[in-house]
Amino acid sequence: MTSTACSPDPGPLLLVLDGAGDRLQFLLAQEQGPDLALLCHQDWAVAGQSARFLAPALDNALKLFGRAAKDIRRIACVRGPGGFTGTRLVLALAEGLAAATGALRAGLDLLPLLAAGPADLGLPGTCLVLTWSRKDQAFAQAFALPGATPLTAPADLTLEAAAALAESLPGPLTLLGSGLARNLAFFQERLAGRAGCALLGPEWNQPGPLTLLSAAARAQYADRPVEPLYLRASDAEENLPVFAQARGLDPEQAKALLLPGSSLKD
């Protein structure tokens, strides 16, 4: 790959960030007229350590290409549904960069990105994307193939509800995602008698760089924060009474502290 530092007039950069899934990833692309040229793509299996990797790795990639953060004019973020920590990290980095550079931002939804994989293969029928939510639950959305047209809204479902949805979809049926991979035995048993049903492997759990780049190229950018796509409350929110009592706080007072404008003095 030839460094863009050799170019007399390198184009603006597009940054795509994804922390919603099991792996953390970003890509950099350079605008070349109406087109985008992929410069680099990096991903890591760093669950619980994303904050240590993302900003330093991006800084290093920019330096290798002889570029700077000010060259990033657009930032696309996978906004969920997915891991709360990774999603918040990505959105926070995007806002920090935008505050310093004036970059415009756009949000990308994870479930349609994953459905784009079977759609690109031209598979017929329907596709059910299942990503990890928590034990015995999955984020789910159904799509018609080959165009990946949404058939249902994204939802946080129990495994029983997700299996019932799968059973209701016309075939041939394709299932994929981390919610499938982590509950494979359950879905294999439930769908064992279903003809024309394909359960894709873990290599389909994350959108690839070309899928991300294509979605980012079509996204609508604006000078405002990307809203996260949360389909359920975080574990921390739901366990707030337990955390509050452990710290000697009244649970209701702890909830009040989460409201805008509140403080410990209130």
Side-chain angles (χ1 to χ4, degrees), residues 75 77 79 91-92 94-95 98 103-107 222-228:
I75 306 172
C77 304
R79 67 188 192 109
L91 298 184
E95 285 309 294
L104 303 179
R105 287 87 77 205
D223 185 16
R224 60 174 179 269
V226 173
E227 292 292 332

Side-chain angles (χ1 to χ4, degrees), residues 142-171:
F143 300 84
L145 296 177
T149 305
L151 296 174
T152 64
D156 184 36
L157 302 180
T158 64
L159 294 187
E160 288 292 338
L165 175 57
E167 291 166 342
S168 73
L169 294 172

Side-chain angles (χ1 to χ4, degrees), residues 81 109 111-112 139-142 150 152-157 229 231:
D109 291 0
L111 303 182
F139 299 121
Q141 189 171 13
T152 64
D156 184 36
L157 302 180
L229 180 57
L231 298 183

Side-chain angles (χ1 to χ4, degrees), residues 4-264:
T4 58
C6 300
S7 172
D9 185 23
L13 297 179
L14 165 72
L15 170 66
V16 185
L17 301 168
D18 175 19
D22 293 335
R23 300 176 69 89
L24 178 70
Q25 63 177 333
F26 79 80
L27 65 83
L28 279 171
Q30 178 177 294
E31 295 182 13
Q32 294 183 342
D35 301 320
L36 287 167
L38 178 63
L39 296 181
C40 74
H41 168 254
Q42 297 184 24
D43 75 282
W44 310 268
V46 288
Q49 304 180 66
S50 298
R52 291 179 49 209
F53 287 82
L54 185 53
L58 174 59
D59 181 58
N60 185 58
L62 288 168
K63 289 177 180 176
L64 287 173
F65 283 101
R67 308 301 294 271
K70 64 180 177 59
D71 298 324
I72 299 173
R73 303 291 174 81
R74 294 185 293 168
I75 306 172
C77 304
V78 177
R79 67 188 192 109
F84 286 85
T85 300
T87 300
R88 287 195 297 266
L89 172 66
V90 159
L91 298 184
L93 178 60
E95 285 309 294
L97 288 171
T101 67
L104 303 179
R105 287 87 77 205
L108 307 176
D109 291 0
L110 177 60
L111 303 182
L113 287 171
L114 293 174
D120 289 343
L121 293 178
L123 296 180
T126 55
C127 171
L128 180 59
V129 178
L130 301 167
T131 60
W132 173 257
S133 170
R134 57 163 52 135
K135 180 177 170 59
D136 296 327
Q137 290 179 213
F139 299 121
Q141 189 171 13
F143 300 84
L145 296 177
T149 305
L151 296 174
T152 64
D156 184 36
L157 302 180
T158 64
L159 294 187
E160 288 292 338
L165 175 57
E167 291 166 342
S168 73
L169 294 172
L173 174 64
T174 302
L175 279 77
L176 73 151
S178 58
L180 170 66
R182 296 198 192 187
N183 300 285
L184 184 58
F186 171 84
F187 286 102
Q188 285 176 328
E189 181 178 354
R190 281 294 299 266
L191 301 173
R194 172 74 186 258
C197 181
L199 308 183
L200 301 187
E203 63 272 19
W204 297 85
N205 288 0
Q206 180 168 302
L210 295 183
T211 297
L212 288 171
L213 185 60
S214 177
R218 300 190 307 268
Q220 298 296 313
Y221 293 82
D223 185 16
R224 60 174 179 269
V226 173
E227 292 292 332
L229 180 57
Y230 294 147
L231 298 183
R232 66 170 176 85
S234 68
D235 294 339
E237 291 174 90
E238 294 187 351
N239 293 321
L240 182 61
V242 176
F243 298 150
Q245 289 177 340
R247 289 162 176 75
L249 294 173
D250 177 84
E252 293 304 317
Q253 290 179 329
K255 290 180 182 179
L257 289 174
L258 298 180
L259 298 175
S262 63
S263 71
L264 289 172

